[in-house]
Amino acid sequence: MARKGDRKSGAELRHFLNLYETACTKTDAQQAAVSSIHAEIAKTNAMTESACKRLREAYRSLTECSAAESNLLFAASRAVRGVLRQRDTDAAQSQLLLKRQANVVNSLDNFLPTWPSGTSIPLCGGSAADGQQPLTPGHQVAACTSKPKEDEHWILTSVVGYDKEKVVVEDVYEEGEQVKRYTLSQKYVVPLSIWRPHHDHTHLFFKVGQAVLALYPQTTCFYRAEVHEQPNKDRDSYLLHFDDDDFEDGRVQYQSVPVRFVVPFKTWKKG
C-alpha cells in the first residue's frame, strides 16, 4: 500500500509532467509557426517589414515557450528526486517493521505441556473452549479486529480484561505507547490451546482436511487453512495448506505451524 508521502510526491510529479507535456505541445506549435514564416520569406525571396515583425514575434514566443518547457522539466526532475527519496525512506521503514515483526514472532512461546490422557478436554488440540474457562490476563487469543463490513482480519492478541460479554485484548505486535487495544464480543476471539495432545492420541488433533485458523509463518496474523498432516512424534507442528498460498507454477505449498497457533476455524461478517 502506498504511503501518504509517496502518494503526495507522485501526485506532484504527475502534475508537473502534465504541465510539461502541454508546454511541449505549445513549443512544437510555435516552432512550426517560425518554420512557416521562414518558408514564406524563402518563397517570395523578400524580407518585408511585416514578415520581419512576424518573425520577431514568433521567435519571442518560441523563446518563452522553450523557457517554460525547461522550467517545468526542472520542476519535474525535482519531483522525481522527491519520489525516490520518499521511496528510500519507505523502504528503510519497511525493513525496520519487518525486523521488528521478526523479533516479535521469534519471541513467541511455542511450548505446550502434553495432555497425557486420550480423553478430550477444552483447549487441547482440536477442542475449542467450552465457555467455562475464564480468559485470564495474559492468555493469548486469535481476535477478529476488522471493522464492520470489512474483510475479516484475525491477529494474535493477549487478553488484558474480561467479563461475561466483552473481552479487552491488545495486539502482541505493538508495544509501549503504540499498543493497540480492542474491546470485542467474546464471539470475535478464539483462545489458543493450553494443552498439546500426546502424539499417539491422533483423535484429539484437528483432522486431516479440516479447516482451521492458523498463524501464518513469520507473521502475527491468522488465516484460513486446511490440515494436510497432523503432528507426530518427530514434528510438533501441523502441515497446513493456507488458502491462496500455492506456488506460482500451481504446485501446492504447505506450511509448518506449531500446535499452539492452530485454532478452530470461525468466520463472521461484522455489521
Side-chain angles (χ1 to χ4, degrees):
M1 181 179 293
R3 294 180 182 271
K4 183 177 180 181
D6 199 14
R7 291 196 298 269
K8 181 179 179 181
S9 299
E12 183 181 37
L13 174 59
R14 287 191 295 274
H15 171 70
F16 283 124
L17 288 177
N18 288 335
L19 291 178
Y20 176 70
E21 184 177 356
T22 300
C24 288
T25 301
K26 290 182 179 179
T27 300
D28 291 343
Q30 199 58 44
Q31 180 67 57
V34 170
S35 298
S36 176
I37 295 172
H38 275 292
E40 290 179 13
I41 293 173
K43 185 177 182 179
T44 60
N45 199 25
M47 175 68 78
T48 63
E49 183 177 348
S50 174
C52 185
K53 182 178 180 180
R54 288 172 57 208
L55 192 60
R56 282 197 302 267
E57 288 296 322
Y59 270 114
R60 182 183 62 79
S61 295
L62 179 60
T63 301
E64 292 176 353
C65 288
S66 297
E69 182 180 323
S70 178
N71 290 336
L72 287 169
L73 184 60
F74 178 72
S77 69
R78 290 185 61 183
V80 168
R81 290 195 294 272
V83 170
L84 294 177
R85 282 195 301 269
Q86 184 64 50
R87 290 185 176 177
D88 287 342
T89 300
D90 289 348
Q93 291 176 345
S94 295
Q95 288 298 320
L96 288 175
L97 289 174
L98 288 173
K99 183 178 179 180
R100 180 181 170 191
Q101 186 174 49
N103 290 337
V104 171
V105 172
N106 292 334
S107 69
L108 296 176
D109 185 4
N110 298 339
F111 174 76
L112 284 178
T114 299
W115 179 250
S117 170
T119 303
S120 177
I121 61 170
L123 298 182
C124 177
S127 298
D130 62 3
Q132 300 302 312
Q133 301 84 11
L135 293 174
T136 56
H139 194 122
Q140 290 188 333
V141 299
C144 184
T145 60
S146 49
K147 296 179 181 179
K149 299 183 181 180
E150 290 183 342
D151 291 338
E152 292 179 18
H153 182 55
W154 291 85
I155 63 173
L156 181 62
T157 64
S158 291
V159 174
V160 295
Y162 173 85
D163 61 30
K164 293 182 178 180
E165 296 182 355
K166 297 291 184 179
V167 182
V168 181
V169 298
E170 63 182 23
D171 190 343
V172 300
Y173 179 63
E174 304 294 345
E175 59 185 15
E177 296 180 356
Q178 295 182 338
V179 66
K180 291 182 180 179
R181 289 191 173 184
Y182 305 89
T183 300
L184 304 170
S185 169
Q186 289 191 44
K187 68 178 181 177
Y188 296 124
V189 299
V190 182
L192 269 58
S193 296
I194 58 176
W195 294 98
R196 178 199 186 283
H198 190 275
H199 59 78
D200 286 336
H201 302 150
T202 57
H203 61 285
L204 297 182
F205 289 105
F206 290 107
K207 306 296 186 293
V208 172
Q210 185 173 350
V212 294
L213 273 177
L215 196 70
Y216 194 84
Q218 297 304 307
T219 76
T220 55
C221 297
F222 287 81
Y223 298 96
R224 184 189 182 281
E226 289 187 358
V227 177
H228 178 64
E229 289 184 13
Q230 294 178 323
N232 53 49
K233 64 179 181 179
D234 298 319
R235 188 189 66 247
D236 191 24
S237 60
Y238 289 92
L239 276 186
L240 304 177
H241 175 221
F242 285 89
D243 289 357
D244 303 319
D245 191 39
D246 293 337
F247 291 104
E248 291 184 0
D249 61 5
R251 289 179 296 121
V252 176
Q253 178 172 215
Y254 299 107
Q255 303 283 0
S256 179
V257 181
V259 173
R260 175 174 170 77
F261 301 117
V262 181
V263 299
F265 175 70
K266 286 189 175 182
T267 180
W268 300 274
K269 291 295 182 181
K270 290 187 175 183

